[in-house]
Amino acid sequence: WSGSGEAATESLWFELREKLGASEFLGYDAEQAEGKIIALVENGVAVEAVHPGKPVAVIANQTPFYGESGGQMGDTGLITVAGGKAVIAVTDTQKKLGDLIVHFGTVEGGPVTVGEDAHFAVDGDRRDATRGHHSATHLLHAALRTVLGDHVTQKGSQVGPERLRFDFAHTKALSAEEALAVEDLVNRQIRGNAEVATKVMTPDDAIKAGAMALFGEKY
């Protein structure tokens, strides 16, 4: 991503965060939304416009795109400038400084200018596949604790549309029998097809309700 906004220094992201405020994330309820482009970054520099074929980093006032965090990869998709004069093919979304969502992609058509309204559309199939793997990490964690013991805690993960990686600490490698037992527990939960509901609450209330908090999580 050299040549794109990814080359920007942390100081530039800090300046943009101070100037623009936090990005409003709409992705819990929507995969498509309207928004306004409030900053463009090219070659590590904030600019007013980006021309066709150029890599760009886009910041909007609000977006349904998920920025990579918590081990889950960022969304991909399309940003279509009002009127359809330009499209930005988003190949990655990152979260800078905790709450500044930055879309990385390439301009097709254009130019794209700061202040323009745009339609933000997440690749829904890719998100659904990623979401399924994220749920699977939690099922895997619970199964490992059941089979190996409560000392097993997550040490990291990577969640994407094609696979998941789950890191944990244990005194030795899993035996073939233990791996099969864990796999069986996870598959049984998946086949159970339990209903999933979303509740928004404070971290303290979530922990009281039975949620597990790791790494000093704040979400």
Side-chain angles (χ1 to χ4, degrees), residues 24-156:
E24 183 180 356
F25 177 61
L26 307 175
Y28 290 121
D29 303 311
E31 292 183 353
Q32 298 190 37
E34 305 304 316
K36 183 181 291 290
I37 295 172
I38 57 176
L40 295 167
V41 175
E42 182 183 7
N43 292 324
V45 178
V47 295
E48 287 300 310
V50 179
H51 292 84
K54 298 293 186 179
V56 64
V58 179
I59 300 173
N61 62 330
Q62 57 185 25
T63 177
F65 282 71
Y66 180 85
E68 180 173 344
S69 59
Q72 180 169 318
M73 296 173 67
D75 280 329
T76 63
L78 294 175
I79 300 173
T80 304
V81 176
K85 70 161 188 170
V87 172
I88 299 164
V90 178
T91 54
D92 188 25
T93 308
Q94 293 284 324
K95 203 180 277 186
K96 300 293 184 181
L97 305 175
D99 56 14
L100 189 68
I101 299 174
V102 185
H103 314 76
F104 294 95
T106 304
V107 177
E108 300 173 0
V112 176
T113 306
V114 171
E116 290 187 298
D117 295 324
H119 181 75
F120 294 73
V122 170
D123 182 335
D125 290 341
R126 183 178 181 277
R127 174 185 280 186
D128 285 345
T130 302
R131 190 180 316 183
H133 285 141
H134 198 146
S135 295
T137 64
H138 297 293
L139 297 179
L140 177 57
H141 193 179
L144 286 166
R145 288 169 65 86
T146 298
V147 173
L148 302 178
D150 289 344
H151 66 281
V152 174
T153 55
Q154 180 181 347
K155 299 300 182 183

